[in-house]
Amino acid sequence: MTWPRSRAATAGVVAGLALVVLGALLGRPDVAVLGAAPLVAGVRDWRRRPSADPTVRLVASDAAPVAGSLRADVVVTSPSTVLLGARRGARVLLDAWVVVDGTRRLPLVVHTVRTGPQDVALVDVQGVGPGAACVSEPSPPATRSTLVLPAPRPLGDLPLPPRLRGLTGAHESRRPGEGGGLRDVHPFSPGDRLRRIDWRVTARRAPDLHELYVRREHALAEAVVVLVVDSRDDVGPDPMTWRGSNPPRAQDPTSLDLARQAATSAAQGFLDLGDRVGLDDLGAVRRPLPPGGGRRQLDRIRHALALTRPEGDPLRRLRAPQIPSGALVMLFSTFLDDEAALVASVWRRAGHRVVAVDVLPTLRERHLGDRERLAMRMIRMAREDRLAELADLDIELVTWRESPHVALASLARRVQRRAGAAR
């Protein structure tokens, strides 16, 4: 690849040569001197033009990953100054002049609202020779893919399943044990601990101490929660992009981005309380992530959510995914079709407490034509009927785009009736 002469340098050399010739013809040495300077400088810079082509590549950053940020290092190799350009989709991130004499490494940080597999940026460089006398052809663009993990948001109180499990936890169960609130006061029997004796009740009921009374408490237990993400839909706020011909804008979070954030937030909230959380994908047939606890379980869930994406044509399941007995099910979906509503009704009839989280973004419809508005009205009516049927089955609904922490706290205080019981 050659370094062609720039237009400015060519114009300077031509102007200088013209002044030298004109001064010689007119016998004006002062005019010739004026043209000699740009002519000599242009020839000198042209002879110093680089011979190597500039290159650029993106490598992994050494900085710790941060949720909502794409990080990479731009490695530029060039014998001279380069014009570096970075863009993401149709959006220009930066155009900058960078002085390079050999190899230079530059950090690149891109803030994004999108999650999952993402391209950091498309970066290319164009070399500029000494004195801007020559410029190289733009280098082949370099890019790098990275995995953006969803960032959780803090939630308050969370709903619990109707039946708790385990011998330890942070929630008060109905069975007798230790650690919870007062259950009753009972006469001392074999197996009771001496430190449980309530001396005040004993003195009131048996002053002669012929019988001792002990305080019995409720046991603490843990909840089992299964998060189910419907990855079959990944739609943005603009309905015109739902056909797939035009991708959503990079600054618009899609329904799957909201589902990843909602599931991560719920997982962090339950795991912080010592509960066990699992993950399943309604749009793919693969082994689910079994319920577990601890910080490592949260890392597994975030990584699995980041890899969740639509895979080919929407899959129709023959039966709903299997849920552990007594678990709370949180289903994250747009509910644009009947599949998610169908499996939610199956879980509810089986006795599970089901919370349906609506992750459809706030739609922008002002730019739609009459036909598109009519189509959206039909879609909205069918979706509202679908959600009303879920409410009739006592499936609790939460809209993620409208203060989800308030809705979840309200569900946490609600006593749910038994599935199939009379109203």
Side-chain angles (χ1 to χ4, degrees), residues 39 47 51 55 140-141 165 172 177 219 249 255 302 325 352 403:
L39 179 61
R47 297 187 63 180
S51 58
T55 60
R165 302 174 61 181
E172 186 176 290
R249 297 190 303 178
S255 61
R302 292 182 65 192
S325 176
H352 297 284
S403 302

Side-chain angles (χ1 to χ4, degrees), residues 61-190:
S61 175
D62 297 333
V66 178
S69 297
L70 308 178
R71 295 177 178 268
D73 287 345
V74 182
V75 180
V76 182
T77 302
S78 176
S80 63
T81 302
V82 298
L83 174 61
L84 184 145
R87 61 187 182 273
R88 192 161 186 262
R91 184 162 58 103
V92 177
L93 299 179
L94 64 92
D95 285 324
W97 292 97
V98 180
V99 178
V100 182
D101 187 7
T103 301
R104 187 169 179 180
R105 189 174 181 135
L106 305 170
L108 177 64
V109 180
V110 180
H111 299 285
T112 178
V113 297
R114 307 292 294 276
T115 55
Q118 300 287 326
D119 290 332
V120 178
L122 201 64
V123 181
D124 57 7
V125 295
Q126 186 175 17
V128 180
C134 56
V135 293
S136 70
E137 296 293 334
S139 67
T143 186
R144 180 180 179 85
S145 298
T146 186
L147 191 66
V148 183
L149 301 179
R153 58 182 295 182
L155 299 176
D157 296 334
L158 295 171
L160 295 176
R163 182 159 55 94
L164 301 176
R165 302 174 61 181
L167 300 177
T168 59
H171 311 294
E172 186 176 290
S173 65
R174 298 180 180 178
R175 57 182 176 80
E178 295 183 1
L182 177 64
R183 186 170 185 265
D184 59 12
V185 178
H186 193 269
F188 184 88
S189 60

Side-chain angles (χ1 to χ4, degrees), residues 228 280-282 288 317 319-323 343 346-347:
V228 182
D280 202 350
D281 187 356
L282 194 62
R317 289 179 175 266
R319 65 176 184 177
Q322 298 298 307
I323 302 297
V343 297
V346 172
W347 291 326

Side-chain angles (χ1 to χ4, degrees), residues 181-224:
L182 177 64
R183 186 170 185 265
D184 59 12
V185 178
H186 193 269
F188 184 88
S189 60
D192 291 333
R193 298 183 180 182
L194 296 179
R195 64 184 181 90
R196 294 292 181 186
I197 298 176
D198 192 325
W199 294 106
R200 292 185 178 180
V201 176
T202 300
R204 184 170 60 253
R205 295 187 177 183
D208 55 352
L209 299 183
H210 69 277
E211 191 172 29
L212 301 177
Y213 289 87
V214 296
R215 296 168 57 90
R216 297 196 302 184
E217 300 174 344
H218 290 283
L220 294 180
E222 63 184 5
V224 177

Side-chain angles (χ1 to χ4, degrees), residues 23 52 119 173 225 269 336 376 382 390 415:
D119 290 332
S173 65
V225 183
L336 291 174
M376 284 304 304
L390 293 179
V415 179

